[in-house]
Amino acid sequence: MAKKHKKTGYRAAPEPEAGDRFPGWLVWPVLAAWGIFVLKNYYSKFPINFSSLSYILSPQQYTAGLFGVLPGHLLNILLAAAFFFSCFSLGRAALKAAGFRFAGALEEYNKALALNPDNVVVYVNRGGCRFALKKYAEAIADCDSAIRLNPRHAEAYYNRGTVRGILGRYREALEDFDKAIEITPLNAPMIGNRGIAKFYLGRYAEALSDLNRALELDPTLRATLQQWIDKA
């Protein structure tokens, strides 16, 4: 709702299908196994002397061992480097799998809407991608399209209210949250966000009522809502 408020109501955008891209995941197990083998068998080639701080900081103890091993084990050293690079790639892949590759997902949603321009769910999800990319006007437009196709789609109202709240349009956000709660009256995040909208409009007693009601429905929201309860 507010700029510091993390509970946006948007689901993480799913990662688009890989299609015919090269299956890089096949490389990772091989590199991981080889990297473990290299570390296990060749780490002893680099004896580290910890007898004094000056020697620990001296590059000689590292370069001497490296130059002694490099000629006979260049391939293994290169593969070990590839192993560590693959760890970085795995980290990126984990972020993508968690839904952080919004730009790529946005392209997939565009394709889906080109095939079926009346798909409400795709409009809502594309709005989520645009929200994550801080394309707020376009996110609102997607919510508008979803609502036009299905005036009873609570999440579309909720997401639009969230974006409007971030833009400081609290009265419009409150209208959206009211409509969303009318459709799904027991949704704790929606009630909590409505309470925050009321807080910014100076309606503190009503805000506190909504915030407490949201916590009754879902106590796990306390970490998010407690700061607003304390202020109200």
Side-chain angles (χ1 to χ4, degrees):
M1 173 59 204
K3 290 186 178 180
K4 294 183 179 179
H5 186 51
K6 302 296 184 182
K7 197 75 175 180
T8 66
Y10 279 104
R11 294 191 303 269
E15 170 69 6
E17 294 296 327
D20 57 356
R21 292 180 296 177
F22 178 76
W25 62 269
L26 290 174
V27 179
W28 299 334
V30 176
L31 289 175
W34 196 288
I36 293 171
F37 173 78
V38 170
L39 291 175
K40 179 180 178 181
N41 290 279
Y42 295 104
Y43 181 73
S44 60
K45 304 291 184 178
F46 301 87
I48 307 301
N49 187 330
F50 295 101
S51 60
S52 68
L53 178 61
S54 61
Y55 197 71
I56 292 174
L57 299 177
S58 172
Q60 284 82 355
Q61 66 166 327
Y62 306 102
T63 56
L66 175 62
F67 293 141
V69 172
L70 184 60
H73 304 288
L74 179 59
L75 177 60
N76 286 324
I77 292 171
L78 292 176
L79 287 172
F83 162 68
F84 289 111
F85 179 76
S86 72
C87 293
F88 171 75
S89 299
L90 282 170
R92 291 186 58 192
L95 290 177
K96 292 177 184 178
F100 288 95
R101 192 181 178 185
F102 295 110
L106 182 60
E107 182 180 349
E108 296 300 313
Y109 289 135
N110 289 340
K111 293 177 182 177
L113 287 173
L115 296 173
N116 182 6
D118 294 330
N119 191 317
V120 176
V121 174
V122 175
Y123 275 114
V124 172
N125 288 342
R126 188 176 72 173
C129 288
R130 288 174 164 173
F131 172 85
L133 294 169
K134 298 184 179 181
K135 297 181 177 182
Y136 298 131
E138 295 178 20
I140 289 176
D142 276 339
C143 293
D144 291 341
S145 296
I147 291 168
R148 184 178 65 254
L149 292 168
N150 182 3
R152 299 288 296 173
H153 200 290
E155 187 176 358
Y157 287 105
Y158 177 42
N159 291 350
R160 188 174 69 179
T162 299
V163 180
R164 286 174 166 174
I166 287 176
L167 295 175
R169 295 158 57 179
Y170 301 118
R171 293 188 185 281
E172 295 172 279
L174 181 57
E175 293 174 1
D176 282 332
F177 292 141
D178 281 339
K179 186 65 177 179
I181 294 168
E182 176 187 324
I183 300 168
T184 55
L186 298 180
N187 188 296
M190 293 180 182
I191 296 172
N193 274 289
R194 185 176 69 175
I196 296 172
K198 290 177 178 179
F199 173 88
Y200 277 110
L201 291 171
R203 296 161 58 174
Y204 301 120
E206 295 177 46
L208 187 59
S209 176
D210 273 346
L211 294 168
N212 286 327
R213 177 57 176 158
L215 287 182
E216 290 177 9
L217 293 170
D218 186 357
T220 65
L221 295 177
R222 180 168 297 278
T224 302
L225 299 181
Q226 188 63 51
Q227 60 173 315
W228 306 107
I229 293 175
D230 294 341
K231 292 176 182 178

